[in-house]
Amino acid sequence: MIKNHKFIFTYLIFIVMILIFSILSWGAVKIPFNEIVSIVLGSNIEEDSFRQIIWELRLPRAFCSMLAGASLGLAGLLMQTFFQNPLAGPFVLGIHSGSSLAVAFWIMTGTALGITLPESVAVAGVTFSSILGGAAVFFMLLLVSMKIKGNIILLVIGLLFGYFTSGLISLLISVTDAQKIKTFLMWTLGSFQGKTALELIMLSLILGIGLIWSLYLGKRLNVLLLGEEYALSLGLRFKRFKIETLLLTSLLSGAVTSLCGPVAFVGIMAPHIARKLFSSQDHFVLIPGSFIIGSILCLVAEFLSGLGVTLVVPINAILGLFGAPFIVFFLFGKRRFRDA
Amino acid sequence: MPSNLLLEVKNLSVGYEKKAILSKLDLSISKGEMICLMGPNGSGKSTLLKSLVGILPFLEGEIQINGKRIDKIKQEELSKIVSIVLTNKGDVQGLTVEDVVRLGRFPHTNRFGKLQRSDRNIIKESIETMNLESIREKLISELSDGQVQKVFIARALAQDTELIILDEPTTYLDIANKMELMSILTNISKEKGKTLLFSSHDWSLALEMCPKAWLLDHSGTISMGTPEEFLFNGTMQKLFMNEKFFLNSSSGRFCELKSTPKEIYLDCEDSNIKYWSLHALEKIGFKYAEEAELRIYFANGEFKIEGGKSFKSLSDLLLRLKLS
């Protein structure tokens, strides 16, 4: 790693800390700076409600945004290199749609069949179906990308798949009771709030595995930059590599989606910003880079969503406002995509 | 001597999805050879080369490297024996020269790509061989076509294989870069003892630089031999037979076919000026003859037509002759 890179990483970590602190300090209840510090450091303070607000509301929010952003950043990076397509990302390519559909099935078919599951099974089911649904779409994209070369086509297929799933979901909604519909719709808006400690631990475990596994894939991802033919000529075992990437991406994206809903655009934006910032394509730089920039994006979105104090703007509204123009700018900026 | 044989191809058919582009090929490469695969554009050169490295499955027949069939060798093992430089250069705009060369060590390093001292030495050596030290830390996006080509050859060198295959390495390069690259390749073959196979549609390049060539013709057969041989036994002329051009078997150059050339005599003491002036005259349809009626004398920097005007420069003379 070049000296310059270390400097940028230090900077980014500093930004993460500022953002976390901003989320901790902003809200309906005003908590003084030094109290926040002592609460986080674990020392006792007089006002017990402050401690509760920090530990049970704001810190989990910040923590969840960070984990989700990092996971999506990693998933996006993996997908962009894997499909050799800068427009790839779990949201735009429809991985999230696959998760949504599977989750919708899980939440809503229960009523149709008249079964009530215990709480823990229901939650585990959401996670599982989210990962599975994501993996199914990824697999489908894999098949398509083997047949058709072209950046835009893959994107269009992802979008079409999104429409298809929303059609199916509407169908499901029309036969389900109002309570379940509300649960599902709230889920689709995307939220980093109200997660339990167990959920966050689960997510951090998956993220930890994801980070180590990505680094383990780093050498192979780097060689794929040369293109499939060079990678083969250098002895890359493609089948195994494909399966590993498929599993890892679905795991990362699915875990976040099950917990926070389909979070838009972070996956596609984080790797691009990382590439620009570090002016590098080396995955041993981009993996930690996308990880931390993904966190920053989600932290910013979460902070902005809570800015109105009483009026909470959904995460996806904010990310959509920033993400969609980002892609448009990207398309305009890259000449080679005009004729892709 | 079978032990000297590096690559052997028997009854090979190559192509895409069951559709053979070249078939019934029998070829061989001995260790240390430098071979140019010659053939017109779109004749299947790339397809053949990709099949030889194992990145494109072949349709029929057998390819053996060091006596082992390549479809029986694992791709990881094969990548330590043969490397390739392709015409496409992947998406590496954001990598530095050294990053790309380092990727050549892929088959030799552990899971995380950690470089040992020996790996670093080979990378350094490859960069030096290709004269890339001064741009070692530059991004690929900042380089010229010729430099990028050299980086990718350095990458193949870093892969440290016995056989290096290059697909059209000199296309898109200007003449100076072309010559430099060819002389480096000759060096690699002579000094490092590497076996090289490269394709080209540039006939003069093969004639100048390669002791051995594979000539691919329109019917899809490949003849093996020296470029000079192809010239004097007429294989080349047959291949490039055309209504407008022919291959001059004494110069090895392509010439335009002209209706009977007019005869001209040029008297000039400086043999260099004489050679190139005639070269120019041939282009506009003249042929040198001692007894020609049209006689030109060169003296004091002027061309003089016998019984006519003088011209200050060759181009003025040509203009005049063209008009008459």
Side-chain angles (χ1 to χ4, degrees):
Chain A
M1 201 176 294
I2 311 169
K3 209 170 141 198
N4 190 16
H5 288 167
K6 280 187 187 153
F7 182 70
I8 300 173
F9 272 117
T10 322
Y11 235 117
L12 291 177
I13 290 169
F14 187 63
I15 293 176
V16 168
M17 279 157 59
I18 290 180
L19 283 167
I20 292 176
F21 183 77
S22 311
I23 290 176
L24 292 186
S25 51
W26 192 268
V29 179
K30 214 167 155 41
I31 305 174
F33 174 78
N34 51 353
E35 303 234 330
I36 292 174
V37 176
S38 35
I39 289 168
V40 174
L41 292 177
S43 42
N44 284 323
I45 55 149
E46 295 150 36
E47 194 80 47
D48 200 46
S49 66
F50 282 0
R51 213 170 54 99
Q52 258 184 346
I53 289 170
I54 293 290
W55 277 101
E56 285 167 28
L57 291 175
R58 295 185 189 170
L59 205 56
R61 263 174 66 200
F63 202 52
C64 180
S65 329
M66 231 170 79
L67 294 175
S71 307
L72 291 173
L74 279 184
L77 176 67
L78 289 171
M79 289 183 75
Q80 286 176 7
T81 306
F82 184 78
F83 287 112
Q84 293 164 50
N85 185 339
L87 294 174
F91 181 72
V92 281
L93 286 191
I95 305 280
H96 284 351
S97 312
S99 292
S100 298
L101 184 60
V103 170
F105 261 113
W106 178 257
I107 293 180
M108 297 184 206
T109 42
T111 16
L113 298 173
I115 310 165
T116 323
L117 291 165
E119 178 76 18
S120 58
V121 179
V123 169
V126 168
T127 309
F128 191 69
S129 30
S130 167
I131 293 174
L132 210 66
V137 177
F138 196 111
F139 189 68
M140 188 192 74
L141 291 171
L142 204 71
L143 294 178
V144 173
S145 72
M146 283 196 293
K147 285 277 166 217
I148 307 162
K149 296 272 174 242
N151 292 325
I152 306 293
I153 290 180
L154 208 61
L155 192 71
V156 170
I157 286 177
L159 290 176
L160 288 178
F161 188 75
Y163 284 122
F164 183 74
T165 45
S166 49
L168 275 180
I169 290 169
S170 310
L171 212 64
L172 272 176
I173 284 176
S174 64
V175 297
T176 318
D177 69 68
Q179 186 50 42
K180 300 251 166 166
I181 294 171
K182 196 179 168 221
T183 312
F184 177 73
L185 286 182
M186 288 306 287
W187 179 83
T188 59
L189 287 177
S191 164
F192 299 137
Q193 304 192 4
K195 308 297 173 232
T196 65
L198 186 70
E199 286 170 327
L200 291 179
I201 290 170
M202 274 274 290
L203 190 57
S204 15
L205 267 179
I206 289 177
L207 180 59
I209 294 171
L211 182 64
I212 293 167
W213 201 348
S214 317
L215 289 169
Y216 185 64
L217 283 170
K219 180 188 168 189
R220 286 174 277 173
L221 289 164
N222 273 346
V223 94
L224 196 61
L225 291 174
L226 291 167
E228 241 174 273
E229 290 180 322
Y230 272 118
L232 269 176
S233 84
L234 282 160
L236 178 70
R237 272 155 61 187
F238 238 88
K239 225 182 218 162
R240 205 184 129 177
F241 175 68
K242 273 181 181 164
I243 294 169
E244 279 185 55
T245 321
L246 171 85
L247 280 175
L248 182 53
T249 316
S250 318
L251 192 68
L252 283 170
S253 156
V256 175
T257 312
S258 71
L259 208 58
C260 314
V263 178
F265 294 120
V266 173
I268 187 172
M269 286 196 286
H272 284 295
I273 298 173
R275 267 184 222 112
K276 257 260 155 352
L277 207 59
F278 292 97
S279 45
S280 169
Q281 273 180 303
D282 181 0
H283 283 83
F284 290 106
V285 174
L286 290 183
I287 289 168
S290 304
F291 182 97
I292 197 160
I293 288 169
S295 310
I296 290 176
L297 288 176
C298 282
L299 282 168
V300 170
E302 178 60 27
F303 177 69
L304 290 177
S305 98
L307 206 57
V309 185
T310 46
L311 169 102
V312 176
V313 185
I315 290 291
N316 274 343
I318 292 162
L319 287 170
L321 284 177
F322 288 105
F326 179 89
I327 294 179
V328 173
F329 274 117
F330 179 79
L331 283 172
F332 275 112
K334 291 259 172 172
R335 204 174 337 116
R336 62 196 167 111
F337 283 98
R338 288 188 193 146
D339 42 29
Chain B
M1 283 195 299
S3 63
N4 201 26
L5 214 55
L6 180 61
L7 183 117
E8 202 179 5
V9 167
K10 289 179 198 155
N11 194 28
L12 181 73
S13 292
V14 296
Y16 293 91
E17 286 168 12
K18 301 265 157 90
K19 194 172 172 286
I21 294 175
L22 297 171
S23 48
K24 297 209 172 70
L25 301 174
D26 289 293
L27 303 160
S28 64
I29 304 177
S30 300
K31 288 180 183 172
E33 279 188 315
M34 176 165 167
I35 298 176
C36 176
L37 168 61
M38 287 275 319
N41 282 335
S43 55
K45 297 192 293 291
S46 303
T47 314
L48 173 61
L49 295 184
K50 283 177 190 171
S51 301
L52 292 181
V53 214
I55 58 177
L56 185 72
F58 54 89
L59 306 176
E60 229 183 303
E62 209 177 297
I63 302 173
Q64 286 190 2
I65 284 190
N66 282 330
K68 269 193 229 158
R69 290 177 52 162
I70 70 161
D71 44 337
K72 297 271 191 282
I73 307 175
K74 277 188 184 161
Q75 194 69 38
E76 293 131 280
E77 291 308 310
L78 193 60
S79 65
K80 293 179 188 168
I81 309 172
V82 53
S83 55
I84 191 164
V85 178
L86 296 159
T87 44
N88 87 63
K89 300 288 182 252
D91 177 27
V92 290
Q93 299 297 317
L95 290 185
T96 65
V97 169
E98 197 174 347
D99 287 338
V100 173
V101 178
R102 199 182 293 160
L103 290 178
R105 295 308 291 164
F106 185 86
H108 304 273
T109 51
N110 72 1
R111 272 281 167 217
F112 292 95
K114 187 157 173 49
L115 298 174
Q116 307 296 326
R117 183 189 291 269
S118 60
D119 296 312
R120 285 181 204 286
N121 284 342
I122 286 189
I123 291 166
K124 191 164 169 275
E125 208 179 290
S126 310
I127 289 176
E128 281 168 5
T129 308
M130 299 310 297
N131 301 327
L132 297 168
E133 298 101 316
S134 57
I135 52 166
R136 208 165 51 91
E137 287 184 354
K138 279 206 172 175
L139 293 176
I140 297 297
S141 55
E142 300 172 297
L143 307 184
S144 70
D145 286 351
Q147 287 171 320
V148 174
Q149 187 64 274
K150 277 158 70 178
V151 173
F152 273 76
I153 296 174
R155 187 210 59 83
L157 284 177
Q159 203 176 330
D160 196 22
T161 56
E162 230 178 320
L163 174 63
I164 302 175
I165 291 181
L166 305 105
D167 193 7
E168 298 276 1
T170 59
T171 317
Y172 308 123
L173 300 191
D174 61 35
I175 189 82
N177 275 310
K178 223 178 242 189
M179 296 316 276
E180 191 201 348
L181 192 67
M182 285 314 294
S183 87
I184 294 176
L185 288 182
T186 313
N187 260 343
I188 292 171
S189 136
K190 278 190 188 136
E191 278 161 31
K192 299 197 179 264
K194 302 275 183 199
T195 311
L196 298 179
L197 169 64
F198 69 94
S199 65
S200 174
H201 57 252
D202 189 346
W203 157 250
S204 52
L205 195 78
L207 186 63
E208 295 310 317
M209 312 297 285
C210 275
K212 198 172 168 186
W214 292 354
L215 188 64
L216 175 59
D217 67 20
H218 297 299
S219 67
T221 44
I222 295 182
S223 352
M224 298 195 280
T226 63
E228 288 81 358
E229 231 172 349
F230 294 138
L231 203 57
F232 66 65
N233 69 18
T235 321
M236 274 303 294
Q237 284 86 334
K238 219 186 286 167
L239 179 58
F240 288 105
M241 193 86 105
N242 187 302
E243 283 167 7
K244 288 182 178 149
F245 291 90
F246 74 99
L247 186 67
N248 185 325
S249 58
S250 58
S251 68
R253 282 209 313 262
F254 286 94
C255 304
E256 206 178 341
L257 270 179
K258 296 181 187 87
S259 47
T260 41
K262 284 185 235 166
E263 292 189 334
I264 196 167
Y265 172 78
L266 175 66
D267 180 78
C268 174
E269 278 180 13
D270 187 325
S271 62
N272 205 23
I273 295 179
K274 185 169 178 179
Y275 176 83
W276 288 112
S277 301
L278 284 172
H279 189 265
L281 285 165
E282 275 170 20
K283 278 195 258 183
I284 61 164
F286 286 92
K287 199 179 132 194
Y288 182 79
E290 289 285 343
E291 305 302 325
E293 273 179 30
L294 184 56
R295 304 182 84 78
I296 314 256
Y297 296 91
F298 179 80
N300 307 325
E302 284 191 351
F303 291 90
K304 186 170 169 31
I305 300 179
E306 195 182 52
K309 280 173 81 175
S310 292
F311 298 92
K312 286 230 164 59
S313 71
L314 182 59
S315 45
D316 290 344
L317 173 72
L318 291 184
L319 193 65
R320 172 64 209 231
L321 290 173
K322 240 185 192 169
L323 290 174
S324 64

